[in-house]
């Protein structure tokens, strides 16, 4: 499964490095993290990581398979 996680604000390189399994793009005051998510546990782990780093998740969605 591929997911996109949209976070409020522009994440620093240090914060981006906390998500080595995901790619990212900065756009209009937001950071979009995206990439493969192995299973539900991985997904919840990503969200917990966002929370522990004080990131505000604006949107999360599953992307269509390519």
């Amino acid at each position: 499964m591929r997911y996109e996680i949209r976070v409020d604000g522009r994440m620093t390189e240090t914060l981006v490095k906390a998500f080595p399994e995901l790619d990212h793009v900065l756009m209009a005051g937001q950071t979009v993290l995206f990439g493969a998510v192995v299973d539900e546990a991985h997904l919840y782990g990503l969200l917990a990581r966002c929370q522990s780093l004080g990131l505000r998740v604006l949107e999360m969605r599953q992307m269509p398979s390519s």
Side-chain angles (χ1 to χ4, degrees), residues 4-33:
E4 176 182 287
I5 301 172
R6 209 169 274 267
V7 175
D8 190 27
R10 298 175 71 97
M11 290 172 60
T12 64
E13 280 302 312
T14 302
L15 285 174
V16 168
K17 287 179 183 175
F19 299 89
E21 68 271 61
L22 299 177
D23 293 316
H24 73 283
V25 64
L26 303 173
M27 48 189 326
Q30 299 178 351
T31 304
V32 181
L33 302 168

Side-chain angles (χ1 to χ4, degrees), residues 25-54:
V25 64
L26 303 173
M27 48 189 326
Q30 299 178 351
T31 304
V32 181
L33 302 168
F34 58 94
V37 174
V38 179
D39 56 18
E40 244 181 61
H42 185 202
L43 180 61
Y44 286 118
L46 291 170
L47 292 175
R49 213 177 310 166
C50 286
Q51 183 179 24
S52 70
L53 293 170

